[in-house]
């Protein structure tokens, strides 16, 4: 099921990934996120 997130939520997710020692792939797998959505949100911000 698709979950809609606000840009503020994506901002927090991206900051959390950057603070972690995980790659984007690892982070997305652990947090059940689509890499495509992650990259799309990051490009908007």
């Amino acid at each position: 099921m698709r979950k809609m997130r606000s840009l503020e939520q994506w901002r927090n997710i991206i900051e959390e990934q950057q603070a972690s020692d995980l790659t984007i792939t690892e982070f997305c797998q652990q947090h059940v996120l689509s890499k495509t959505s992650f990259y799309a949100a990051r490009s908007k911000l």
Side-chain angles (χ1 to χ4, degrees), residues 10-23:
W10 276 113
R11 185 175 285 114
N12 292 335
I13 290 168
I14 291 165
E15 289 173 358
E16 184 180 343
Q17 187 278 325
Q18 290 173 340
S20 74
D21 288 333
L22 300 173
T23 65

Side-chain angles (χ1 to χ4, degrees), residues 4-45:
M4 298 297 291
R5 292 180 173 88
S6 69
L7 285 180
E8 186 60 35
Q9 289 172 315
W10 276 113
R11 185 175 285 114
N12 292 335
I13 290 168
I14 291 165
E15 289 173 358
E16 184 180 343
Q17 187 278 325
Q18 290 173 340
S20 74
D21 288 333
L22 300 173
T23 65
I24 290 173
T25 300
E26 293 168 335
F27 184 85
C28 288
Q29 286 174 344
Q30 288 185 11
H31 292 83
V32 192
L33 298 168
S34 161
K35 283 194 312 182
T36 304
S37 297
F38 183 92
Y39 284 118
R42 191 175 73 170
S43 72
K44 288 181 184 179
L45 298 172

